[in-house]
Amino acid sequence: MSKMSTYPIRLPASVKAEAERVAAEDGTSLNQFVATAVAEKLAALRTAAFFEERRGRGDRDAFRKLLTRQGGEPPQEGDELPGTA
């Protein structure tokens, strides 16, 4: 198990009550619910930063050249999108 630390947190009573209710419905403790919520938020922020960095490396001219290049194979039977055949 990883090293744990404690952090006292102040929540509005209504937020704490709702978090306790949802945690109980999920069969987890309030502590586990809050730890998971923080982990999910961190993952969302890191994911957004990753895609922002990737967006900055994009090259529209290279993309257009790729889309308009000659050669390749035409779509084959079965390549259709569902509902468009």
Side-chain angles (χ1 to χ4, degrees), residues 34-55:
V34 171
T36 301
V38 170
E40 288 177 2
K41 180 64 175 185
L42 291 170
L45 291 171
R46 295 281 185 228
T47 300
F50 170 80
F51 282 113
E52 184 65 27
E53 187 271 330
R54 292 290 300 234
R55 184 176 72 92

Side-chain angles (χ1 to χ4, degrees), residues 2 8 18 23 33 37 42 48-49 54 58 70 75-76:
S2 63
E18 183 66 10
F33 177 81
L42 291 170
R54 292 290 300 234
Q70 297 298 313
Q76 299 189 6

Side-chain angles (χ1 to χ4, degrees), residues 13-68:
S14 60
V15 172
K16 182 177 182 263
E18 183 66 10
E20 287 172 326
R21 185 186 67 73
V22 172
E25 286 176 2
D26 195 40
T28 62
S29 68
L30 177 61
N31 186 67
Q32 187 175 3
F33 177 81
V34 171
T36 301
V38 170
E40 288 177 2
K41 180 64 175 185
L42 291 170
L45 291 171
R46 295 281 185 228
T47 300
F50 170 80
F51 282 113
E52 184 65 27
E53 187 271 330
R54 292 290 300 234
R55 184 176 72 92
R57 295 187 318 189
D59 183 338
R60 289 185 184 268
D61 291 332
F63 179 65
R64 280 190 196 90
K65 283 174 74 172
L66 179 67
L67 288 178
T68 59

